[in-house]
Amino acid sequence: MVVVMNVGADEAQIEAVIDKLNSLGFDVHRSTGVNRSVLGAVGVKPEFDTRRVAVLDGVSEVFRVTEPYKFASRSWVEMDTEITVGDVTIGGNEVVVMAGPCSVEDEDQIHKTAEFVAAQGATILRGGAFKPRSSPYSFQGLGSAGLKMLRDAADAHGLHVITELMEVGHLDEVVSVADIVQVGARNMQNFPLLKELGKVDRPVFLKRGLSATVEEWIMSAEYVMAHGNPYVILCERGIRTFEPSTRNTLDLSAVPVVKSKSHLPVFVDPSHGVGIRNKVVPLARAAVAVGADGLMIEVHPNPDGALSDGPQSLEFDQFVDLMKQIRLIAGVLGRTVAPERISA
Ligand code: PEP
Ligand code: MN
């Protein structure tokens, strides 16, 4: 149940309502907005008559929350959540581009990519050091050495870092390097991992599970938030369907659907979504058009020699094209993309 206080409600009235709710057996979470306070009461029974609360002094309205999540819900926080990472604001007017290789492979590869994507206006460098691979015989990532290369390359080119955390045992190490911690599709419902990420002071980039509904995906964000970390970014990366002509089916309808249910920023990863290099640019355009707050794009200096996800990784010139095209689409919508930083 959500209790919305009057704009002019004073502290004493708010406290009195909280006390009353507690005495009725509810756990109360308070959200103090610019204009008014909102109280979330957890533990409402179906037979509870909400008028018992609606009549209290200072209460404007009371409504039941039908969603099973609260912190992630639009009815709990009305305004879009903005997340600041250094000089980058995620969830604001700027369409934020995270780009880089699927995996960090060596110094040269990650430095070349960082330099290149930064020059084009990407602000966050991606690269996996701990990789979730379908086959145990595939390249598993460089681990700690890869994390260090990623951080060094990002620092050398004024970028922030996003990288995937696969297990609780690596949490401290990943958090010491990453500005944003990625939870991959396969771990979207790794609840122990989500709970631990609730305790860290890094935004969590939560990819949608391969067969997760929108509600399950938001519930996973709720895990992180309920454990204390309000900074979750959702990322649509394609779901499994019956259609074999693309690696996954990129569910772009999820963007406006999630945005009506949640205040959290929503990104799109067309690279994993479609899995085919020459289909990434059109889907990136569509993602921006449909209202995504940002994109995650795989780029590699030599995609055909990549140790993971080569077929979906963009060549550098394709990335140039992508940035040009999304700047146009963003402009039509009154949004921006960080400027190019091509040195003379
Ligand atoms: C990745 O970003 O390289 C990755 C493994 O993504 P996903 O979890 O979406 O498959
Ligand atoms: Mn990948």
Side-chain angles (χ1 to χ4, degrees):
M1 177 172 67
V2 172
V3 181
V4 183
M5 301 301 296
N6 283 328
V7 173
D10 59 31
E11 197 51 38
Q13 288 175 327
I14 298 169
E15 289 296 330
V17 173
I18 293 174
D19 288 348
K20 180 72 182 175
L21 289 167
N22 284 333
S23 74
L24 290 166
F26 298 117
D27 272 345
V28 182
H29 298 269
R30 177 174 174 173
S31 160
T32 308
V34 186
N35 293 317
R36 57 170 94 212
S37 292
V38 177
L39 308 175
V42 181
V44 188
K45 310 243 171 4
E47 67 280 6
F48 182 77
D49 184 348
T50 55
R51 289 175 299 181
R52 291 176 72 185
V53 180
V55 294
L56 300 175
D57 282 349
V59 172
S60 164
E61 80 184 291
V62 180
F63 55 92
R64 286 174 186 274
V65 179
T66 45
E67 303 98 349
Y69 43 84
K70 187 187 67 159
F71 294 111
S73 162
R74 252 304 160 205
S75 35
W76 176 239
V77 177
E78 201 184 330
M79 301 280 287
D80 288 344
T81 284
E82 294 190 359
I83 299 175
T84 307
V85 178
D87 57 347
V88 178
T89 302
I90 291 171
N93 197 48
E94 182 175 309
V95 176
V96 173
V97 178
M98 305 175 171
C102 178
S103 303
V104 179
E105 297 171 3
D106 56 58
E107 298 271 7
D108 186 55
Q109 174 240 23
I110 194 67
H111 275 269
K112 270 195 184 130
T113 311
E115 180 180 19
F116 183 77
V117 299
Q120 296 303 319
T123 49
I124 296 165
L125 181 65
R126 67 146 287 147
F130 297 103
K131 294 301 303 177
R133 303 305 303 280
S134 300
S135 164
Y137 308 116
S138 300
F139 176 60
Q140 304 285 307
L142 296 180
S144 310
L147 287 180
K148 184 174 177 336
M149 287 179 204
L150 182 66
R151 183 75 256 175
D152 290 348
D155 290 343
H157 301 287
L159 294 164
H160 305 288
V161 162
I162 179 167
T163 195
E164 178 164 352
L165 172 71
M166 290 215 302
E167 51 181 295
V168 174
H170 293 150
L171 188 124
D172 290 344
E173 190 182 0
V174 169
V175 164
S176 73
V177 166
D179 299 299
I180 304 172
V181 179
Q182 175 171 329
V183 174
R186 291 154 190 81
N187 266 319
M188 189 204 83
Q189 287 189 314
N190 181 338
F191 303 119
L193 190 67
L194 299 175
K195 287 181 192 172
E196 287 305 311
L197 284 167
K199 300 179 199 157
V200 307
D201 66 344
R202 291 286 184 284
V204 174
F205 189 82
L206 183 64
K207 289 196 153 191
R208 181 177 183 179
L210 276 72
S211 62
T213 63
V214 164
E215 186 170 296
E216 287 163 342
W217 185 21
I218 300 176
M219 286 306 288
S220 289
E222 186 77 8
Y223 257 93
V224 177
M225 300 173 92
H227 284 81
N229 185 350
Y231 301 120
V232 181
I233 303 157
L234 297 165
C235 179
E236 163 62 37
R237 49 76 72 207
I239 49 175
R240 278 273 163 89
T241 70
F242 52 82
E243 177 52 61
S245 56
T246 50
R247 180 178 178 186
N248 292 291
T249 297
L250 189 64
D251 180 14
L252 288 177
S253 60
V255 177
V257 168
V258 171
K259 282 192 162 285
S260 64
K261 293 176 182 294
S262 175
H263 52 89
L264 296 173
V266 184
F267 272 52
V268 170
D269 167 355
S271 305
H272 292 85
V274 68
I276 309 161
R277 201 178 298 152
N278 65 11
K279 309 278 184 297
V280 171
V281 174
L283 285 165
R285 276 198 314 258
V288 175
V290 84
D293 293 298
L295 299 172
M296 170 172 267
I297 305 289
E298 287 186 340
V299 188
H300 194 288
N302 172 26
D304 291 329
L307 297 182
S308 60
D309 284 349
Q312 69 195 34
S313 299
L314 296 188
E315 307 265 4
F316 281 4
D317 59 351
Q318 291 176 306
F319 187 68
V320 172
D321 227 29
L322 180 144
M323 293 301 285
K324 277 195 185 127
Q325 297 195 29
I326 66 158
R327 277 180 209 289
L328 292 172
I329 305 277
V332 170
L333 299 169
R335 299 187 76 174
T336 57
V337 175
E340 293 173 2
R341 292 193 274 157
I342 301 167
S343 44

